[in-house]
Amino acid sequence: NDARSHSFYRDLVQHARALPGVQSGSVAYCVPMGFPGHGAQIFIEGRPWAPREEPPNISYNSIDPGYLGTMRVPLLLGRNFNESDDEKAPPVAIVNQTMASRFWPKGNAIGKRFSLKSASGSFIKVIGVAHDGQYLFLSPDSSPYFYVPFAQEPSSFASLQLRSSGPPESLIPEVQKEIGRLAPDLPV
């Protein structure tokens, strides 16, 4: 169950952040240049598509509020996700610079909306613009990309990211112990 998974991952991140040498931690559906990843056609509110024009397919990731800081992705405009961006809250997203300039070139993307379902909604509101990065593979060209809160799109499949002050491999046994303590039946 995805709600139980979200609770487990939230607890795991809290416990992992308390380990010696851990500076920050987060959970996300996928990691940069990792597999799998999300992708969906997007429909920009108020922008009709020509009859033969296909809405663009954009890659995205489900992340927790600590992800951008842990992965050192600068937030350029707007705000980061917070704990109140959960399944009961209106859907929100953080888009990268390329997505913001491609789909809202005449102004700020903050407050604009798009849908993953259809041109008539349900809509996701842009609350932030993040720096461009590398997502699915290394490329000299920037591509549109966005993030949604893990709490709004949870998954039983997720990746833990930790930033450490020492050799990261030294944390592996401690993280495995925490996982075993929180979910003894979970394969690591």
Side-chain angles (χ1 to χ4, degrees), residues 3-188:
R4 198 169 71 222
S5 296
H6 177 249
S7 175
F8 164 75
Y9 288 121
R10 186 180 57 239
D11 292 347
L12 177 60
V13 169
Q14 284 180 335
H15 287 265
R17 285 180 183 153
L19 293 173
V22 173
Q23 296 172 325
S24 64
S26 67
V27 68
Y29 179 71
C30 61
V31 295
M33 270 80 66
F35 181 80
H38 290 304
Q41 283 189 322
I42 66 161
F43 302 85
I44 306 298
E45 183 178 39
R47 180 178 173 185
W49 297 101
R52 294 192 176 141
E53 185 180 15
E54 283 288 315
N57 195 337
I58 307 293
S59 296
Y60 69 101
N61 197 359
S62 304
I63 64 171
D64 76 356
Y67 181 87
L68 296 179
T70 298
M71 300 300 283
R72 295 192 175 159
V73 177
L75 187 64
L76 305 173
L77 294 171
R79 72 168 177 88
N80 195 359
F81 299 134
N82 59 48
E83 296 301 326
S84 66
D85 293 318
D86 61 15
E87 70 280 354
K88 296 174 190 149
V92 292
I94 296 171
V95 301
N96 73 353
Q97 293 167 278
T98 298
M99 184 168 171
S101 64
R102 184 168 299 168
F103 297 112
W104 300 285
K106 292 188 169 103
N108 190 340
I110 305 298
K112 303 296 194 259
R113 301 186 329 158
F114 65 95
S115 174
L116 305 180
K117 298 186 184 337
S118 74
S120 59
S122 63
F123 289 103
I124 299 169
K125 182 178 177 181
V126 176
I127 61 165
V129 177
H131 196 279
D132 284 345
Q134 299 291 323
Y135 307 106
L136 303 175
F137 50 86
L138 291 174
S139 171
D141 301 320
S142 297
S143 57
Y145 195 85
F146 66 95
Y147 305 93
V148 296
F150 193 81
Q152 290 185 353
E153 193 168 318
S155 172
S156 58
F157 181 90
S159 299
L160 175 69
Q161 295 83 42
L162 297 177
R163 181 164 296 282
S164 69
S165 58
E169 60 276 1
S170 68
L171 293 171
I172 293 171
E174 293 302 314
V175 171
Q176 288 175 328
K177 276 197 265 187
E178 283 300 317
I179 293 170
R181 196 174 67 67
L182 293 170
D185 298 334
L186 187 70
V188 179

